[in-house]
Amino acid sequence: MPRKKKPGRATLPANPNTNLSVLPDRFAIGGTEIRPLQLFNNPNRHPHGPGPWETEPDKLAWRDAATGKDCILLRQHAGEWAGYVGVEPSHPLWGYSVDAVPAVAGIHVHGPLDYAESCEEEERPQVSVCHLLGGHPPRDQRPRRSRSSVADNNLPDTWWFGFTADRPGDLVPNYRRTLEAEEGRTYRDIDYMYGEVTTLAAQLHVLEDGLPVRNAAKGLPAPDLKLEHKGEGDV
């Protein structure tokens, strides 16, 4: 008599946008809720020891409801957060290297911008500054775009501006000094950084929104293009 087959377990496809059991529909942050596009824990970057970071993830990506801009919070090697906002090729600052962004643009968040790069499409999603959410053709199969074209924010043509919470007065969790507490250093947690990222999104949005600063933006110098970058090389 043939053996009865045991019912096999259903195999669920891995979600490339999270390494949690499931990507949640909503994520509470900064006194509100957002719909996460990516959510990752990364033990290689997560701060050591007890602290306000214990319940935080290590990467969070979402689309800002007020501006429609893609946003990322990504923990850095020493445990501090960095925040990023992406702009399309039609944006007046698209393609500008970080040191070429003029003061007239009025961009200022937690310290100055320290990052301006194209999408890190070759990097692992848990450490990349990019929104590649699946279904996009390889770069060499995409039509070439210009600064004036209308782009999908999810495509690697998005240009990312960012900043890091490692300024004077910031507590960098995995690089502590003995007298750090006495020096009054503050850990910039995920709620604080969410507020700064949405502020950056609003500032970038103003430049393309027909508001008075737009007139100044018309006189911006040509961008210093920086289209190559190195991956972070960790997981």
Side-chain angles (χ1 to χ4, degrees):
M1 183 174 179
R3 284 195 220 169
K4 292 183 179 179
K5 291 184 179 179
K6 294 182 180 179
R9 293 183 180 179
T11 303
L12 297 177
N15 187 334
N17 299 312
T18 186
N19 56 6
L20 307 180
S21 57
V22 65
L23 181 67
D25 289 333
R26 311 295 293 176
F27 185 88
I29 187 171
T32 186
E33 287 188 338
I34 60 174
R35 186 178 300 278
L37 299 177
Q38 292 179 324
L39 188 64
F40 289 94
N41 289 334
N42 187 346
N44 290 333
R45 293 191 177 188
H46 200 80
H48 313 309
W53 45 77
E54 288 183 81
T55 59
E56 294 179 344
D58 301 299
K59 181 181 180 183
L60 173 65
W62 74 99
R63 181 160 293 154
D64 179 49
T67 64
K69 298 235 173 333
D70 282 344
C71 301
I72 291 175
L73 282 170
L74 178 63
R75 198 177 298 280
Q76 303 299 290
H77 298 275
E80 78 279 23
W81 284 109
Y84 307 90
V85 176
V87 299
E88 301 176 357
S90 57
H91 193 278
L93 291 182
W94 185 91
Y96 276 71
S97 63
V98 69
D99 56 356
V101 175
V104 71
I107 303 298
H108 184 80
V109 278
H110 182 78
L113 295 177
D114 60 14
Y115 184 96
E117 298 279 357
S118 59
C119 185
E120 293 182 327
E121 58 181 309
E122 305 299 329
E123 186 56 274
R124 302 172 187 84
Q126 61 265 43
V127 295
S128 67
V129 182
C130 194
H131 281 186
L132 281 178
L133 304 179
H136 299 307
R139 182 185 287 274
D140 59 2
Q141 297 179 21
R142 300 189 199 111
R144 188 173 181 82
R145 301 196 177 196
S146 67
R147 281 171 52 82
S148 61
S149 66
V150 177
D152 180 342
N153 276 4
N154 284 342
L155 290 177
D157 291 320
T158 302
W159 190 264
W160 294 88
F161 292 100
F163 62 97
T164 310
D166 61 355
R167 313 300 301 172
D170 293 343
L171 188 151
V172 178
N174 292 341
Y175 184 64
R176 290 191 176 188
R177 295 177 299 173
T178 305
L179 297 178
E180 199 157 52
E182 290 83 348
E183 292 173 353
R185 290 178 178 258
T186 302
Y187 173 66
R188 309 301 176 179
D189 65 11
I190 193 171
D191 290 333
Y192 173 86
M193 292 295 286
Y194 170 79
E196 294 297 291
V197 167
T198 54
T199 295
L200 176 57
Q203 291 175 356
L204 290 167
H205 185 66
V206 160
L207 291 171
E208 60 187 13
D209 199 35
L211 297 178
V213 74
R214 174 68 174 177
N215 296 327
K218 289 179 181 178
L220 294 178
D224 177 14
L225 288 175
K226 186 179 179 183
L227 296 176
E228 295 183 0
H229 56 271
K230 296 179 181 179
E232 297 185 55
D234 67 347
V235 295

